[in-house]
Amino acid sequence: MSEVIVRSGGLYTTVQDAGRDGWYAIGMPPSGALDQYSFRVANLLVGNPEGAAALEATYIGPELEFTDERRIAVTGADAPARVNGEPVPLWEAIAVRAGDVLSFEMLTAGARPYVAVSGGIAVPEYLGSRSTYTLTGIGGFHGRALRADDRLPLGSPPVSGPSPGTSVPAGLRPALGGPAQLRLVVGLCSYRLTETAMESFVDTEWKVTKDADRVGYRLRGGTIDFVDREPPFGAGSDPANVVDLGYPIGSVQVPGGDEPIVLLGDAVTGGGYATVGTVISVDRDRIAQARTGDRVAFTSVDVDAAIAARRDRGIRLEKVRAAVS
């Protein structure tokens, strides 16, 4: 069997695909690549189906040894990559042979590089997905982040695909500098905030704390005041408590009112904290590339704007398909 030998797992590298959709009602989050655009482009560069399983690293990339001829691509964060010690370009199809070793230096922007290998990472599916959900230890490679000496099975490489050296035009690569601008559809429990507090929330430039991972990003930088009320039956006494409800992916909790949390792909699916809005799906790619200490800001948009942004991302992906085909 063809495989990739993991010499080092990096800081936190997991197998992810397009996500485990369809199980939210039973409390199963989708997991999947947090930056879906970078993940899909990586697969396009190596001739894989867009949703094929790839590797998502966090901050420090893995060191990988290949055992046969493959095409690989690294996208996402600006993480200088090397093959056998020689620099290789990002956002480009690269040919590797048996014995070649991919390694990374410290990233210079963004948080999560993606590594796609032609044929995809062929770990077994769980509930229709190869994504890793480490909180319960399911999916991916034994339900956990990669470690040294792991051996990842690979699928059969596609018979055709972009030639080595094929790259994504600079204009189709995401910009990672500056504060992350996140569009937010206000709703669900925003009624719990005073009008002034809601205005303050979107006017504040928030800082990403160290508590930022695949479950969610905790932010700091402002305070939020709640409307006075008698807790309804079934809700806790904290002003942020409401009667339990489902949490949309990307929803923003405000437990305690001073450290909002943006919930991401591995988050719980429901609970009793007020959620004041939801980061639109396109901009969850952007917050996934924010690091501890980075700044994020919210802009209120309506559902039509969220749908238009999703359509625009589809157009950008279509341009990538045309550019690499």
Side-chain angles (χ1 to χ4, degrees):
M1 174 186 292
S2 179
E3 56 191 7
V4 171
I5 301 171
V6 180
R7 289 189 170 189
S8 165
L11 180 62
Y12 187 85
T13 302
T14 56
V15 177
Q16 299 293 341
D17 62 13
R20 187 171 288 107
D21 292 328
W23 304 97
Y24 214 68
I26 63 168
M28 177 68 70
S31 300
L34 291 187
D35 178 353
Q36 285 282 322
Y37 182 83
S38 297
F39 157 76
R40 291 173 185 273
V41 171
N43 273 319
L44 287 171
L45 279 167
V46 299
N48 287 345
E50 287 180 27
L55 299 180
E56 177 187 275
T58 302
Y59 290 177
I60 301 173
E63 185 173 304
L64 307 171
E65 179 181 340
F66 301 93
T67 60
D68 63 356
E69 292 187 0
R70 295 279 169 168
R71 290 191 301 277
I72 64 171
V74 179
T75 63
D78 291 339
R82 294 177 178 270
V83 171
N84 302 330
E86 296 296 323
V88 293
L90 309 179
W91 300 87
E92 183 171 316
I94 302 164
V96 294
R97 298 176 298 181
D100 284 351
V101 175
L102 172 69
S103 60
F104 290 89
E105 299 176 6
M106 291 298 295
L107 50 81
T108 57
R112 291 182 167 83
Y114 290 84
V115 182
V117 182
S118 58
I121 309 298
V123 294
E125 291 188 354
Y126 182 84
L127 294 180
S129 170
R130 293 185 168 92
S131 288
T132 313
Y133 182 39
T134 58
L135 293 187
T136 55
I138 64 168
F141 188 79
H142 299 301
R144 59 169 172 79
L146 302 185
R147 302 170 185 161
D149 299 326
D150 287 342
R151 303 176 82 95
L152 300 175
L154 295 178
S156 299
V159 295
S160 62
S163 302
T166 302
S167 64
V168 176
L172 295 175
R173 306 177 189 182
L176 299 177
Q181 301 295 324
L182 307 177
R183 286 163 287 186
L184 182 82
V185 176
V186 173
L188 284 187
C189 304
S190 55
Y191 65 89
R192 287 292 305 121
L193 273 57
T194 65
E195 184 175 342
T196 302
M198 198 66 229
E199 292 173 356
S200 173
F201 180 81
V202 295
D203 288 341
T204 297
E205 195 170 86
W206 299 88
K207 183 178 180 179
V208 178
T209 71
K210 63 179 179 57
D211 299 318
D213 55 23
R214 289 185 46 83
V215 174
Y217 271 47
R218 184 182 290 268
L219 309 175
R220 189 173 296 153
T223 58
I224 299 171
D225 296 323
F226 292 87
V227 175
D228 292 334
R229 60 98 199 256
E230 285 291 326
F233 178 77
S237 58
D238 188 288
N241 286 145
V242 295
V243 178
D244 284 8
L245 76 170
Y247 295 152
I249 302 164
S251 59
V252 183
Q253 283 184 351
V254 286
D258 56 356
E259 293 189 352
I261 302 171
V262 181
L263 301 178
L264 299 177
D266 282 358
V268 296
T269 58
Y273 281 116
T275 54
V276 299
T278 302
V279 175
I280 70 172
S281 59
V282 171
D283 290 352
R284 295 201 293 272
D285 292 352
R286 181 62 186 89
I287 193 172
Q289 295 295 354
R291 297 181 285 182
T292 295
D294 284 354
R295 301 282 178 172
V296 304
F298 297 96
T299 301
S300 176
V301 298
D302 60 20
V303 173
D304 288 342
I307 293 172
R310 187 171 61 184
R311 183 172 58 244
D312 289 345
R313 181 173 65 176
I315 293 171
R316 284 171 61 83
L317 280 169
E318 190 56 44
K319 289 179 178 177
V320 172
R321 292 185 197 102
V324 305
S325 61

